[in-house]
Amino acid sequence: VAVSTVSAPASAQVEHKAVFWSNNVPDFKTSAENEGVSTTDMDACITSTTPEWHFLSSLERKCLVELLLSTLEKENWTLATTHAWGPSYSDRNAYHFTRPVQTS
């Protein structure tokens, strides 16, 4: 996970975060857990035993991704872009989030 703040006029400062994982379920779960997603909730999404992301059903993937998105939305992160690469085990998936810089 990478977080950076981009310098811009005070009214337009934005933080960036990248959440990425290789094309397997354990790697996704680690990345999501690092973002505060409950492992219990993730386990409830998955009925298959495959460790490979691309073999999960579309409903299982949707459930997992929605958990990640809803968790980050609680901290004002907004999904900006997604990148998903082919079915190879070493392929990487990445979600890029942004939010306004939190000022006090």
Side-chain angles (χ1 to χ4, degrees):
V1 174
V3 176
S4 64
T5 301
V6 175
S7 295
S11 62
Q13 287 190 350
V14 176
E15 287 183 288
H16 297 267
K17 175 188 291 237
V19 178
F20 49 90
W21 66 95
S22 65
N23 215 2
N24 70 69
V25 176
D27 198 38
F28 172 86
K29 289 172 87 173
T30 298
S31 293
E33 187 176 18
N34 288 340
E35 297 303 324
V37 179
S38 159
T39 54
T40 302
D41 290 343
M42 287 188 279
D43 289 342
C45 285
I46 303 170
T47 58
S48 67
T49 58
T50 181
E52 296 184 31
W53 182 259
H54 63 277
F55 285 137
L56 290 178
S57 73
S58 59
L59 290 177
E60 290 171 314
R61 288 189 301 247
K62 181 178 187 278
C63 181
L64 290 169
V65 169
E66 285 179 350
L67 284 171
L68 175 63
L69 296 178
S70 66
T71 299
L72 290 173
E73 284 173 357
K74 292 175 188 171
E75 296 180 4
N76 292 329
W77 289 105
T78 301
L79 181 62
T81 60
T82 63
H83 300 281
W85 290 277
S88 170
Y89 185 76
S90 62
D91 290 334
R92 303 291 293 176
N93 298 286
Y95 282 8
H96 170 222
F97 295 88
T98 61
R99 73 176 177 188
V101 171
Q102 307 295 309
T103 57
S104 42

